[in-house]
């Protein structure tokens, strides 16, 4: 297959530098279709060092004399340096890495070849998020139905086959509404909040355009949402763009819901950053975190200048606003920006974590990600993980998963042997047969041996909504992620070991009472 | 009592400090001899000790009443609206009088009565015994001895009576050196490292305007370096920024030259007996700013963190502008230098600043804390404060403004020390026996004047005030409650943590929210990891004890030929409530400081407390018939 054409060299002698805290590794370097391998010889530990080529973000090469140096910046923020013997070998290896790490094709990617021991293909792919979730909703209310109008992805390529919609709206009306929304993303149910009987919806912007077009079916759909909640219920549309940006979008065919066309609904604008500015903010923060010598003033000024924590604050407070509307004002909430695929999902998924105790369990969180997130390889998903981390810091007992889970999701979202985060839509996933030909990340993460790393030892289910503080004094830099490689917080890891020990001691002593019911972690 | 004109005002509003929409609680304000008390309509009590009040302001009259803003030394800020201006004026005037006492005898400690008899009180004062502490360090020994030179405070009024000096330093040398040093604070021992045989010593600056050298002072320094058999080189650490000290530095160099001449003299048959002399001294400057810079830095920090509707960007640029974290880093770096000199080079170190009671106390105590795990225990930390701060004359009353005095003398030097320690606890979560609440409680009491420990500016003054007869010591009360202050992660045996080597990379310094916003409950995490771990630990111990008890019971039963059915029943009867405890705990409100008699205002975790946006108000604007938030608060917190 084509891999062999891209691999320029068999092997070379090299030394690998992995950062200030790790000893260098010497050995034989070689490039395969998906990996960079370094074999330090049989006596060494580890006996093999492996890097998934997909995780290489950028590569720099330098040659001097008869040796070369390759610097790899990885998507998990690691920086690796390889000192290689031989100029030719260096250039060949660099070219091979460049070619292989930028392969676009999904079906030649590593997940399609990864066959680990102990996992069966097809396992843990049984989540069919909307269907599963619909069962939960249907137990509480009859106002919603599962529609298969998108069975062939003709209404919306980025929606799953089945979506949850108001019972009184038929599939034809959905099709019309879809044509009125960018990318066909018509309003669908994201979360049903049983305690107040209200719902969280998401969509993309309406295509009102400069002529201020309307769509009767779209208006009926939102009307039906309010009618289904309770008589006289109110709705809020949380637009993740500024009022001005939303207005400007009309010039390019987009726009926003006109007040007169959607009685009972009120628009709130909460601009959230996405795309390029967010990417830049992320890059600036990563740069600042790589500088160990900077003065206090310089560090604080860079932390301020990159605006990352401002984005965290904005995202969390918008999610809180949506959640507050549902829980406290008994209102239905529709969230959208322009495409409805980035900041929209950030808000809907965070609002659920705040309101829904089930989404804070290990299984519930995985389901939430499956249900809400389309693209994972973007700083917006990282922003989501950061916001979840902030929630976990403020409610250290309320999330069943720990920082390790969030870090694992971050790592796997950029480069993974598992198929869960492949492709950018359900349609693509079906075309590539991801579910039958790759392993699910959840099957990997839910193995018993992974639990200690991923779970929160202090978890105690909390039935209440968790309202975080979003004041700047309450938000912290996520050191565990941003300083993971440059500044490992070793002592606090040891401390966590101790926490685990105390927590498991507790389980043991409690468990060793009447019957010997060992408390196995639930998958 | 004569200052109190009004004892009770009704219909007073307590405003939410950070609310942009004037959210408030209504209640009654009481003025007692020692406290200001506010009881709101939910019967929640807010107690403010008069001594904690740093500033009272009466703002311009508004339509709803007369605003009264009170800023406290423990960083509480309350904003009342008093309906009638007359009442407001009365309270304002009373508080002005009550919060600033002219004499020590009017401080709370002299009237505070925890119902203990005299012998209990005396035992309390004997709890921390510095004589014992020097013994623990291995003193006196062949190189260091207790000097009685200052037994009657004749040489230095601000030093304690008991001072350790090099055995070879005679009394005339000590007297001579003390005349050469500011306020007579000549070089004495602060900490002795038994393994390294090296000492941390402290003093004040040489007197300004001296023309030549002071032989006695040179002798004393020489004696200090001689007292260290492992390394004859010693460091003199000047903790002041170098630029201010240029001239003095030059003078010191001159002294070095003079000593070189002395060496030449020795070659000629007169002068010194061995090679040790001033030329064995290395001068090291570490730039810690003075009390005035620190005071205004903290003021800036509080202005930033106290502003309403603060953006992330304003917060970080404000943190940078205040420079506070830079100062914290400077103090920590100085302590690290000190600890390294002893650990790596085996060298003794003499630390000084200007008077040797602010920066010197910070650096000596923090350095000792890095070196000696004992100071990281609850009891050891008390000893450390008693030694390097109280006994060596850190001017608590001046720095904390206990009495109505010069505001330029007030400075958060000790607060800064506590913050440095807090940063260490963050970096080494297992190295300290105590937790954050312990630090906060100590901070509370340096200002409260409820106990005698921090009253006065030096030991001599404390003795004159007869504090040990008239007031109580804080330490036994903290020890009595020590359960609240235990760090459940503490690992006393870890060899790795014997000497702490903190990393002072800028990332490691964070705004200490739990100090500067201790009363702003809405800014805090809603659940405390520490509390839950403490409880788990407690439960584990209890359960293990139960298991043991039951096992011994089973043994007894077996001996009596009883069958297994009974044992199973027995087992089943044990503490069925423990798992429930685990869940109920996490929903309870958490307090940073252990709650004592004075209850603190605590707000529940509800969206209304969090000010997510001005739009939250729009929710209710759209339609009047929505659930009132009062109802919501009740539902959330009940």
């Amino acid at each position: 297959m084509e891999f062999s054409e891209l691999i320029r060299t068999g092997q070379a002698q090299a030394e690998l530098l992995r950062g200030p805290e790790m000893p260098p590794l010497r050995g034989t370097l070689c490039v395969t279709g998906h990996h960079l391998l370094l074999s330090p010889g049989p006596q060494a530990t580890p006996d093999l060092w492996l890097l998934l080529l997909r995780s290489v973000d950028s590569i720099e090469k330098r040659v001097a004399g008869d040796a070369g140096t390759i610097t790899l910046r990885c998507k998990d923020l690691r920086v690796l340096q390889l000192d290689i013997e031989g100029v030719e070998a260096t250039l060949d290896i660099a070219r091979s890495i460049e070619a292989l790490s930028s392969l676009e094709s999904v079906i030649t990617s590593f997940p399609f070849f990864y066959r680990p021991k102990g996992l069966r293909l097809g396992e843990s792919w049984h989540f069919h998020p909307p269907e599963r979730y619909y069962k939960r909703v249907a137990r509480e209310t009859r106002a919603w139905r599962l529609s298969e109008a998108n069975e062939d992805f003709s209404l919306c390529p980025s929606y799953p086959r089945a979506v949850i919609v108001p019972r009184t709206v038929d599939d034809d009306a959905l099709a019309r509404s879809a044509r009125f929304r960018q990318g066909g993303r018509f309003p669908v149910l994201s979360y049903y909040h049983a305690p107040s009987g209200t719902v969280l919806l998401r969509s993309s912007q309406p295509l009102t355009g400069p002529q201020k077009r309307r769509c009767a079916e779209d208006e009926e759909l939102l009307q039906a949402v309010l009618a289904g909640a309770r008589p006289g219920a109110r709705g809020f549309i949380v637009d993740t763009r500024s009022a001005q940006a939303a207005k400007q979008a009309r010039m390019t065919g987009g726009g926003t819901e006109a007040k007169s066309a959607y009685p009972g609904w009120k628009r709130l604008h909460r601009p959230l950053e996405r795309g390029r500015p967010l990417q830049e903010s992320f890059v600036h923060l990563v740069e600042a975190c790589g500088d160990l010598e900077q003065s206090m003033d310089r560090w604080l000024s860079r932390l301020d200048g990159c605006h990352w924590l401002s984005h965290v604050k904005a995202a969390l407070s918008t999610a809180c606003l949506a959640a507050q509307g549902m829980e406290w004002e008994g209102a239905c909430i529709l969230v959208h920006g322009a495409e409805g695929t980035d900041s929209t999902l950030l808000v809907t998924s965070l609002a659920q974590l705040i309101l829904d105790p089930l989404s804070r369990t290990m299984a519930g969180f995985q389901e939430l990600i499956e249900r809400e997130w389309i693209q994972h390889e973007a700083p917006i998903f990282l922003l989501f993980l950061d916001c979840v981390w902030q929630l976990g810091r403020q409610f250290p007992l309320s999330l069943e998963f720990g920082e390790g889970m969030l870090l694992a999701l971050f790592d796997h979202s950029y480069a993974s042997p598992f198929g869960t985060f492949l492709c950018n839509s359900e349609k693509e996933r079906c075309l590539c047969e991801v579910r039958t030909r790759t392993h699910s990340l959840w099957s990997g993460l839910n193995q018993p041996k992974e639990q200690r790393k991923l779970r929160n030892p202090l978890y105690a289910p909390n039935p209440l909504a968790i309202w975080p503080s979003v004041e700047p004094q309450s938000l912290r830099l996520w050191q565990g992620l941003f300083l993971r490689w440059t500044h490992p917080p070793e002592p606090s890891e040891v401390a966590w070991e101790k926490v685990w020990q105390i927590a498991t001691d507790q389980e043991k002593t409690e468990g060793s009472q009447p019957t010997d019911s060992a408390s196995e972690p639930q998958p | 009592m004569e200052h109190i004109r009004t004892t009770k005002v009704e219909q007073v509003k307590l405003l939410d400090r950070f609310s942009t929409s004037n959210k408030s609680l209504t209640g009654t304000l009481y003025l007692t001899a020692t406290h200001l008390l506010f009881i709101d309509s939910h019967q929640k009590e807010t107690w403010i000790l008069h001594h904690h009040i740093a500033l009272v302001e009466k703002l311009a009259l508004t339509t709803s009443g007369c605003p009264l803003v009170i800023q406290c030394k423990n960083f509480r800020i309350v904003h009342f609206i008093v309906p009638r201006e007359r009442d407001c004026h009365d309270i304002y005037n009373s508080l002005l009088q009550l919060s600033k006492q002219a004499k020590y005898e009017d401080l709370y400690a002299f009237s505070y009565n925890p119902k203990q008899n005299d012998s209990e009180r005396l035992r309390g004062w004997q709890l921390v015994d510095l004589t014992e502490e020097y013994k623990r360090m291995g003193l006196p020994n062949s190189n260091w001895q207790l000097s009685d030179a200052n037994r009657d405070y004749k040489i230095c009024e601000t030093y304690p009576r008991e001072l350790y000096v090099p055995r070879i330093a005679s009394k005339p040398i000590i007297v001579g050196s003390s005349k050469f040093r500011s306020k007579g604070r000549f070089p004495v021992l602060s900490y002795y490292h038994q393994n390294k045989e090296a000492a941390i010593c402290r003093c004040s600056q040489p007197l300004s305007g001296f023309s030549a050298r002071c032989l006695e002072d040179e002798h004393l320094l020489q004696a200090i370096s001689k007292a260290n058999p492992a390394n004859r080189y010693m460091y003199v650490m000047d903790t002041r920024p170098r630029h201010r000290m240029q001239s003095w530095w030059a003078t010191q160099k001159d002294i070095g030259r003079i000593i070189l001449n002395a060496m030449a003299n020795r070659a000629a048959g007169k002068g010194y007996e061995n090679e040790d002399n001033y030329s064995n001294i290395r001068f090291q400057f570490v730039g810690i700013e003075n009390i005035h810079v620190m005071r205004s830095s903290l003021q800036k920090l509080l202005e930033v963190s106290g502003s309403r509707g603060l953006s992330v960007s304003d917060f970080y640029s404000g943190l940078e502008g205040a420079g506070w974290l830079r100062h914290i880093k400077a103090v920590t770096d100085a302590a690290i230098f000190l600890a390294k000199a002893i650990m790596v080079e085996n060298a003794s170190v003499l630390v000084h600043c200007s008077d040797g009671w602010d920066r010197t106390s910070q650096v000596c105590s923090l350095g000792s804390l890095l070196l000696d795990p004992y100071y990281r225990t609850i009891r050891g930390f008390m000893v450390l404060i008693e030694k390097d701060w109280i006994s060596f004359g850190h001017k608590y009353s001046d720095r904390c403004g206990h009495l109505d005095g010069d505001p330029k003398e007030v400075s958060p030097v000790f607060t800064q020390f506590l913050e440095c320690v807090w940063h260490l606890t963050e970096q080494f979560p297992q190295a300290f026996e105590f937790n954050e609440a312990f630090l906060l409680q100590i901070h509370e009491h340096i200002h409260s004047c409820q106990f005698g420990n921090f009253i006065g500016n030096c030991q001599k003054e404390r003795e004159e005030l007869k504090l040990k007869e008239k007031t109580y010591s804080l330490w036994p009360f903290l020890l009595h409650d020590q359960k609240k202050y235990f760090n459940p992660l503490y690992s006393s045996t870890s060899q790795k943590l014997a000497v702490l080597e903190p990393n002072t990379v800028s990332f490691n310094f964070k705004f200490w929210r739990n100090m500067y916003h201790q009363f702003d409950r809405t800014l805090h995490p809603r659940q405390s990891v520490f509390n839950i771990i403490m409880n788990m630990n407690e439960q584990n111990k209890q359960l293990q004890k139960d298991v043991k008890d039951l096992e011994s019971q089973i043994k007894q039963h077996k001996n009596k030929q009883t069958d297994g059915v009974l044992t199973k029943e027995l087992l089943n009867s044990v503490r069925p409530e423990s798992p429930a405890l685990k869940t109920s705990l996490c929903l309870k409100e958490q307090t940073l400081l252990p709650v004592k008699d004075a209850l603190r205002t605590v707000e529940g975790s509800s969206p209304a407390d969090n000010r997510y946006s001005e739009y939250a108000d729009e929710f209710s604007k759209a339609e009047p018939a929505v659930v009132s938030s009062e109802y919501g608060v009740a539902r959330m917190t009940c």
Side-chain angles (χ1 to χ4, degrees), chain B residues 310-436:
Chain B
L310 182 67
S311 74
V312 175
S313 189
D314 291 344
F315 178 63
Y316 281 103
S317 56
L319 265 189
E320 185 197 341
W324 181 256
L325 290 177
R326 194 178 64 222
H327 300 316
I328 298 291
K329 178 172 152 61
V331 175
T332 313
D333 277 331
I336 293 171
F337 178 87
L338 193 161
K340 268 197 185 146
I342 289 184
M343 286 315 291
V344 180
E345 298 182 52
N346 270 25
S348 290
V349 186
L350 173 66
V351 183
H352 75 80
C353 48
S354 303
D355 288 320
W357 49 44
D358 293 314
R359 288 170 273 198
T360 301
S361 294
Q362 286 179 330
V363 175
C364 288
S365 57
L366 207 58
S368 313
L369 188 86
L370 295 178
L371 290 169
D372 193 337
Y374 173 65
Y375 296 130
R376 293 174 232 139
T377 64
I378 287 182
R379 208 177 255 267
F381 194 64
M382 297 171 177
V383 170
L384 185 68
I385 292 175
E386 197 74 43
K387 173 170 73 76
D388 274 320
W389 293 84
I390 296 175
S391 87
F392 276 112
H394 173 67
K395 305 200 289 174
Y396 277 103
S397 276
D398 283 359
R399 296 292 176 260
C400 301
H402 289 159
L403 298 180
D404 197 8
D406 183 0
K408 286 211 165 61
E409 281 287 311
V410 175
S411 185
V413 175
F414 187 73
T415 308
Q416 223 164 27
F417 163 69
L418 291 179
E419 179 161 342
C420 291
V421 175
W422 174 75
H423 271 105
L424 292 176
T425 64
E426 285 283 288
Q427 210 177 126
F428 301 99
Q430 294 192 276
F432 290 82
E433 188 188 25
F434 51 83
N435 59 23
E436 186 180 43

Side-chain angles (χ1 to χ4, degrees), chain B residues 47-58:
Chain B
W47 291 81
I48 296 172
L49 189 66
H50 296 326
H51 294 320
H52 271 147
I53 295 175
L55 189 71
V56 205
E57 280 176 296
K58 197 163 72 89

Side-chain angles (χ1 to χ4, degrees), chain A residues 294 304 394 468 473-474 506 514, chain B residues 305 313 506 523 526 572 612:
Chain A
Q294 63 199 327
D304 168 25
Q394 295 195 26
Q473 296 96 320
S474 309
Q506 168 132 16
Chain B
S305 70
S313 189
S506 303
L523 302 187
R526 312 307 193 207
N572 274 326
Y612 293 128

Side-chain angles (χ1 to χ4, degrees), chain A residues 6 61 95 100 117 189 200 212 358 373 375 410 421 435 492 498:
Chain A
L6 300 172
K61 50 183 184 281
R95 265 180 237 134
L100 289 162
K117 274 189 208 138
L189 181 122
L200 182 65
K212 301 194 183 172
L358 272 179
W373 286 92
Q375 326 156 292
F410 171 72
F421 292 156
R435 291 215 166 88
S492 64
K498 174 112 184 193

